[in-house]
Amino acid sequence: MNCRFLLSLLALTASAVAADTLEEAFKTPPPAARPHVWWHWMGGNVTESGILRDLRAMADAGIGGATVFNIRAHAACAPVMENVANDRFAYRNDEYWRLLKVAAQEARRLGLELSLHNCPGFSVSGGPWITPELSMHKLTWTKGDDPARLRDPWRILHSGILGTWPVTNAEGRVTWYRAAYTATGKRPSPLPEDLDGRALEADKLSAAATGVHMDHVLGPLKKRLGNLLGNGLDGIVMDSYEAGACNWTPGIVEAFRQRR
């Protein structure tokens, strides 16, 4: 048989097999190709029966996995939900951990990949374990003609003065400036109602603050889920960034001087 003819025949056969395989893969996608969904646990409207029904419906629909978000009971643009399906449920209380474990066990049984957002809300990285000192900060300043009468240029939470100095313009007029750093007060959002006023965003410029945050994310998960962590609950997600700007962190001046 002509070698060229044989190679052509093999190529056609391989193409036909690949086409059949591709068509079958579209009809029945392998787990790695299946879509995942956001799975919002809204306020106290979280129950064991609801979790089990949701996960089974996902599996039946060909969904590959889901990411759990703990958010408010209603969207800001909608009326407040008056019903509370589970008044025993609050972020990270015993009922929360029990139901997260139920979800991880059922996801593993159904072959679904389950992930968890790294903090309450869907933006961005923080929680009740972040103190004002570990939260996001920014520079702020005030100016005036008399240094003795300058206001302190901070607003809330953790802050401190960086310095006061004069600036003289071309006409010889002196303006005094006072600079400070201050916590921005940004919070993860949309926070579950039970966390209102009790959570702050971690400092995005600080490895130490980020480390504290992740320790508080992973440590309790390991303690509460045991061998389900990585085998039932398979991932940690950081979703959209909506925390605003931060441009100050401890040590930033020294770090700048080392580099510039």
Side-chain angles (χ1 to χ4, degrees), residues 38 69 116-119 122 124-125 210 213-214 236-241:
W38 285 166
F69 290 82
L116 177 69
H117 192 248
N118 78 102
C119 74
F122 48 62
V124 60
S125 52
T210 303
H213 173 63
M214 293 310 299
I236 298 295
V237 172
M238 288 189 176
D239 187 26
S240 58
Y241 185 91

Side-chain angles (χ1 to χ4, degrees), residues 58-135:
M58 291 178 204
D60 290 344
I63 298 299
T67 299
V68 175
F69 290 82
N70 291 100
I71 64 173
R72 296 187 77 78
H74 67 286
C77 59
V80 174
M81 293 177 66
E82 296 180 359
N83 65 305
V84 177
N86 186 354
D87 57 11
R88 294 178 294 116
F89 181 91
Y91 183 70
R92 285 195 163 191
N93 71 353
D94 287 342
E95 178 70 352
Y96 167 90
W97 290 116
R98 185 184 76 81
L99 292 180
L100 187 62
K101 192 170 185 177
V102 166
Q105 289 170 332
E106 184 68 359
R108 182 174 65 180
R109 187 185 74 81
L110 295 170
L112 298 173
E113 294 182 8
L114 189 65
S115 299
L116 177 69
H117 192 248
N118 78 102
C119 74
F122 48 62
S123 173
V124 60
S125 52
W129 45 85
I130 297 299
T131 61
E133 292 79 8
L134 296 173
S135 70

Side-chain angles (χ1 to χ4, degrees), residues 193-250:
E193 285 81 351
D194 56 285
L195 289 184
D196 279 345
R198 298 198 297 112
L200 288 167
E201 285 283 0
D203 183 354
K204 310 299 181 265
L205 303 179
S206 167
T210 303
V212 168
H213 173 63
M214 293 310 299
D215 285 346
H216 279 82
V217 172
L218 297 174
L221 281 172
K222 185 175 181 180
K223 177 181 177 181
R224 296 286 189 154
L225 267 63
N227 62 7
L228 286 168
L229 187 59
N231 185 29
L233 182 69
D234 302 306
I236 298 295
V237 172
M238 288 189 176
D239 187 26
S240 58
Y241 185 91
E242 300 169 29
C246 61
N247 57 16
W248 178 265
T249 193

Side-chain angles (χ1 to χ4, degrees), residues 177-190:
Y177 288 84
R178 176 170 292 163
Y181 60 85
T182 184
T184 68
K186 289 292 184 178
R187 303 183 184 279
S189 65

Side-chain angles (χ1 to χ4, degrees), residues 145-170:
D145 297 330
D146 183 353
R149 301 178 65 184
L150 282 178
R151 340 180 250 106
D152 288 332
W154 60 60
R155 297 177 300 169
I156 54 173
L157 300 175
H158 184 251
S159 54
I161 293 290
L162 295 172
T164 303
W165 63 91
V167 174
T168 305
N169 66 13

